[in-house]
Amino acid sequence: MKPARTRFAPSPTGYLHVGGIRTALFAWLVARQTGGQFVLRFEDTDKKREVEGAREHLIKSLRVLGLDYDEGPDIGGPYGPYTQSERLDHYKKWAQKLVDMGRAYADPFAPEEVQAFREQAQKEKKPFLYRNHRPENPPAWDGTQPLRFKSEPKAYQWHDEVMGDLSTGPEVIDDFILIKSDGYPTYNFAHVIDDLEMEITHIIRGQEFIASQPNYLNLYEALGIERPHIATVPHIMGPDGKKKLSKRDGAKDVLDYVRDGFLPESLVSFIATMGWNDGTEQEIFTKDELVQKFRLSRVQKSGARFDEQRLVWMNGHYIRQMSLDDLFQKVSDYWPKEAADASDNYKKSVLALVQERLKFFSELPELTSFFFTDLPVNPELVSGHKQLKKVDSGEIKSLLEQARETIASSDFSAEDLQERLNKLLESTGQKPAVLFSLVRIATTQAPASPGLADTLAVLGKEVSLRRIDAMLQTL
RNA sequence: GGCCCCUUCGUCUAGCGGUCCAGGACUCCGGGUUCUCAGUCCGGCAAUCGCGGGUUCGAAUCCCGCAGGGGUCACCA
């Protein structure tokens, strides 16, 4: 495969959600698997929509997920600058060329007049085409009017790497605006020029551009540009499956997932497999495998719904596979406050017990807080327990006292604790559901915890007995 | 409304004319793992392949209609 130059060209108008990052990921994968370059470009030609801090946020999102780019606004490159507002002279030059060729002209109408044309078309239930109103003798372009492309309507067919062969009739071709009256180019013009000058070979973008693709083809011809590869990826749909995933509907910033302790590896694998698979039954891919196996032609044509449950599952899967040391390093910022004074060794032994229960890092406090602090005695854990509530309180107290006694004589290895608890089970004739639950509740005061013997062993003798005593006082 | 695209279990999907009365994964349900939660193992529910015609000995797979959904018709990208 020839080295591909792909780009991700967001406008700095906000954060990136999983839908946006997917487009970037696909472009990155194509560049990496062909040994080409991945380019970041900011499309900031609409100053009104720009959001403060969005650029840094976008860059951080890509970095965090490991989608490194070879050229971009902050790192430069041979085709810079990589920010459209800094490339105005490029667009002017090409615009002038089109004017000279007779393929661009000044739009003499006031915005209200164009709007009136549009409404008229709407009333007649017809699509609006500016070229139906193309002026016969447009004024010379002085930069204060919008500059429009003089299109040559015709039917087009083209190949889309994802969608397959597409075609449209001449009725979709129109005289779109190249340069706005504020001097900035439109997306429609700027991206064509940039992709040309930056020698982009594969344009990978969202579905919303499929309808304007023939117009770009028309412009390519006017400019004598060879068609790049085009790939249109469908939108990720929101949970209702009807509309595309949007920030309005609560689509989370990918950085929020990272902050919640989702691993970049699992996010990447999850996002890649939303609407793509390699044809086998493999469900989870490393980044290297994706680079090797990803194919635009195997991207689904229809939009996939965003299923957070699947992401949670996948992240848990990754966490379980990690080495304890690796995991320990990564969760360092997620421990409960009460763990501040705990030793690394202690925290590591706690982590070993919860590793297989952890789905994402921010769950760590709720899973482990009782390892670091004595939770208040909660009588409801007994009164609401389906087995314990059937046992009378005298019996409970007696059982707990006996448990205290056997535990007290243990060396507090998990094995010894287990052995002694088993013996107590025999001597009291109790069901584990009663005895073990009782001890577990007494020593953790938590609705759920890891296995009893393991938990006790980590808590240690002093803490375990202290908590049992506290509980006994309330009985 | 015009144009374009899409349509397989609740969800993500496999499937490119016979091996599919449709396979996998997530979710859900049941059981095992001496207590809970999670994990794990075993098992289960779940798509008459949007609908209707055709082509064919044979269709989820090809063709034609229809319906539903999405996109677009901006001096937004």
Side-chain angles (χ1 to χ4, degrees):
Chain A
M1 240 178 299
K2 279 192 294 244
R5 285 179 58 80
T6 66
R7 42 74 160 179
F8 179 55
S11 62
T13 52
Y15 60 81
L16 225 42
H17 58 63
V18 290
I21 207 82
R22 195 175 75 132
T23 313
L25 173 60
F26 288 175
W28 181 85
L29 287 171
V30 169
R32 291 291 167 262
Q33 77 179 182
T34 59
Q37 292 85 38
F38 178 56
V39 177
L40 175 65
R41 181 172 77 220
F42 284 137
E43 311 221 316
D44 60 340
T45 55
D46 186 359
K47 290 172 294 182
K48 298 180 293 292
R49 295 208 314 153
E50 179 136 2
V51 171
E52 176 81 25
R55 291 163 202 258
E56 296 69 29
H57 201 93
L58 255 14
I59 285 174
K60 193 174 173 195
S61 300
L62 294 175
R63 287 263 161 81
V64 161
L65 294 186
L67 306 186
D68 57 314
Y69 44 92
D70 305 288
E71 300 163 28
D74 55 333
I75 58 173
Y79 300 88
Y82 294 89
T83 298
Q84 289 187 330
S85 60
E86 295 168 17
R87 303 175 58 79
L88 265 26
D89 50 326
H90 294 71
Y91 312 126
K92 285 267 160 59
K93 187 188 85 192
W94 285 97
Q96 190 56 52
K97 202 166 156 184
L98 283 166
V99 171
D100 296 344
M101 285 165 24
R103 294 302 305 273
Y105 62 93
D107 175 352
F109 296 106
E112 305 78 51
E113 293 176 287
V114 178
Q115 183 57 24
F117 296 150
R118 200 186 332 270
E119 281 165 16
Q120 179 65 24
Q122 214 164 47
K123 226 168 67 185
E124 292 168 15
K125 301 255 187 206
K126 288 163 78 174
F128 169 65
L129 282 174
Y130 181 93
R131 62 176 158 83
N132 291 340
H133 307 275
R134 188 188 281 171
E136 268 181 42
N137 295 301
W141 182 48
D142 63 14
T144 65
Q145 319 97 323
L147 184 72
R148 282 190 185 264
F149 176 53
K150 190 173 181 183
S151 62
E152 286 180 351
K154 56 197 270 196
Y156 277 103
Q157 359 184 313
W158 71 99
H159 181 73
D160 186 293
E161 308 278 331
V162 172
M163 294 305 210
D165 292 322
L166 302 176
S167 59
T168 52
E171 67 281 352
V172 303
I173 304 294
D174 198 14
D175 292 2
F176 60 91
I177 290 179
L178 302 169
I179 307 278
K180 299 183 269 186
S181 59
D182 65 3
Y184 281 82
T186 58
Y187 166 83
N188 297 143
F189 186 48
H191 92 271
V192 169
I193 298 306
D194 290 340
D195 288 341
L196 168 70
E197 293 190 340
M198 295 178 183
E199 297 182 30
I200 299 301
T201 60
H202 296 247
I203 297 177
I204 299 166
R205 77 214 327 174
Q207 216 184 31
E208 64 270 31
F209 297 106
I210 204 163
S212 35
Q213 188 61 52
N215 279 298
Y216 305 146
L217 296 177
N218 206 241
L219 179 58
Y220 290 162
E221 284 176 10
L223 256 22
I225 301 175
E226 198 181 325
R227 287 183 192 182
H229 295 273
I230 292 155
T232 306
V233 304
H235 288 132
I236 299 299
M237 311 303 272
D240 67 352
K242 302 269 186 187
K243 299 184 293 190
K244 72 170 174 175
L245 186 67
S246 74
K247 299 166 186 181
R248 258 192 87 116
D249 302 318
K252 283 199 330 197
D253 183 343
V254 279
L255 286 183
D256 282 340
Y257 284 107
V258 174
R259 247 175 250 123
D260 281 345
F262 283 83
L263 295 156
E265 304 89 292
S266 70
L267 281 165
V268 165
S269 180
F270 170 72
I271 290 167
T273 54
M274 284 182 90
W276 173 85
N277 68 80
D278 71 344
T280 71
E281 286 178 354
Q282 187 168 348
E283 304 281 344
I284 292 176
F285 298 83
T286 66
K287 207 184 273 179
D288 286 344
E289 286 174 322
L290 289 174
V291 166
Q292 191 194 332
K293 296 178 174 175
F294 179 77
R295 294 291 179 275
L296 284 169
S297 58
R298 286 199 63 91
V299 172
Q300 211 71 17
K301 290 182 178 142
S302 54
R305 205 174 295 199
F306 176 63
D307 182 5
E308 199 176 67
Q309 275 187 134
R310 191 176 163 81
L311 171 61
V312 169
W313 163 76
M314 202 175 278
N315 202 62
H317 180 89
Y318 270 88
I319 287 177
R320 271 169 254 131
Q321 285 188 324
M322 292 170 78
S323 74
L324 185 58
D325 285 330
D326 190 13
L327 181 61
F328 182 68
Q329 265 193 338
K330 295 220 161 78
V331 300
S332 63
D333 292 335
Y334 294 87
W335 291 102
K337 289 184 292 292
E338 298 82 5
D341 298 326
S343 72
D344 280 3
N345 267 345
Y346 184 72
K347 285 196 278 193
K348 218 179 252 190
S349 55
V350 170
L351 190 60
L353 294 190
V354 298
Q355 175 167 13
E356 61 186 23
R357 283 150 238 264
L358 196 61
K359 304 282 181 44
F360 46 92
F361 299 162
S362 61
E363 283 187 322
L364 199 56
E366 63 182 270
L367 253 31
T368 65
S369 64
F370 63 83
F371 280 107
F372 302 100
T373 185
D374 292 5
L375 265 30
V377 175
N378 179 0
E380 282 188 17
L381 289 176
V382 172
S383 63
H385 189 104
K386 61 180 187 295
Q387 298 283 342
L388 291 178
K389 69 181 174 190
K390 292 187 225 156
V391 184
D392 73 69
S393 59
E395 175 77 10
I396 288 205
K397 183 162 187 174
S398 153
L399 280 173
L400 193 51
E401 278 165 348
Q402 292 177 67
R404 187 196 192 283
E405 206 175 312
T406 29
I407 289 170
S409 56
S410 170
D411 65 5
F412 262 73
S413 66
E415 297 73 28
D416 185 61
L417 284 161
Q418 192 60 263
E419 209 171 298
R420 284 168 195 277
L421 286 165
N422 286 347
K423 278 187 190 144
L424 186 61
L425 221 43
E426 283 172 34
S427 65
T428 59
Q430 266 300 349
K431 292 185 288 191
V434 170
L435 183 65
F436 288 2
S437 295
L438 181 60
V439 178
R440 203 187 59 73
I441 288 167
T443 50
T444 64
Q445 296 298 334
S449 69
L452 182 54
D454 286 335
T455 302
L456 291 176
V458 169
L459 284 172
K461 188 172 193 169
E462 190 200 334
V463 174
S464 299
L465 296 180
R466 182 174 78 219
R467 290 184 184 178
I468 291 176
D469 290 339
M471 174 109 170
L472 280 169
Q473 300 243 314
T474 69
L475 293 174

